[in-house]
Amino acid sequence: MFLINDTNDFLSWQFGLKRWTVDEQSRVQTILDERADRLSDRFYQMFICPEKSVVYQEYLPAGLDGMTTLEDRPARAMARMRPEIVTYLGERFDALKRLGLLFFRGDTHVNWMGAYHVYREAILTLQARGAPVGPPLTFNDLQHFIAGMEGDVLIQLPDAVKAQFEVDAALARVGNMLELVISHTLPEARMRARQVPTPEGYIPGGGGRATVIMEQDDRTLPKALIFRDSTATLSVELLAQHFSRSVFVWHDGDVIGDLIDREQPDVILHFVAERFLATYPRGVAVNRLLA
């Protein structure tokens, strides 16, 4: 299932009905250049997670499945502008989908398989840049079990079509779950990083999403500050194993200068869903405000 008429109107960007102007592209280039300069004393890396409709275009409704995806859409343009700090995972996901589904069927987000590969690509990229994070966990390090998922797209179905949808969905539904999928998570015995309490008032806002702080005993590992959206939710515990302290902040895709000053991280990671990039020309390199 895929999003249509969403607030980001991503399909219009995917197929080139909407495009950045020359001035908007120039503005984004300036933002990335300034950010790279201001964060040059530490490892900063932005990861753009591709949209489900890009990775699985062949499953889009008839008429959309054969359309041409715009090569110069925002995600690709940003990755070309500053390839050393911006990684677009579209090409990797296109190759990795042969290993199994990477997104939930009734949801816009990566499933546990997709989340593992988001994590793995992030650690491999940091390794290649010389960050002392160690190798990524292998798939064999994880535990694998059956889990259910209803899905954020499924629950948005208009009431007028729900009854008809249920006729087919009932063939595969288990309880109230639209799909059963294999969950890939780190076993408790392998957990080195553990969640610690977040101080009261650590950060306002966050869209109602909790700030997660993880720590482990090995203080030789770097400290990390991770700005994220829901594309990295299932990757949090895996990423945390590579840092002595890792702070995961949900804050509208911004890079927050006040938090960098507070945490003094060695590594700054920035996970963004592709559909949120259209508004990037209105952003700033480093936002100083927490509120």
Side-chain angles (χ1 to χ4, degrees), residues 63-77:
L64 295 178
D65 55 340
M67 292 182 66
T68 300
T69 295
L70 180 67
E71 287 296 312
D72 199 34
R73 65 189 184 277
R76 284 188 176 273

Side-chain angles (χ1 to χ4, degrees), residues 32-33 35-36 44-47 82-87 129:
L32 294 178
D33 290 345
R35 185 179 294 164
Y44 168 76
Q45 196 74 35
M46 180 180 189
F47 294 93
R82 294 303 298 245
E84 77 280 17
I85 63 167
V86 179
T87 301
R129 290 188 57 188

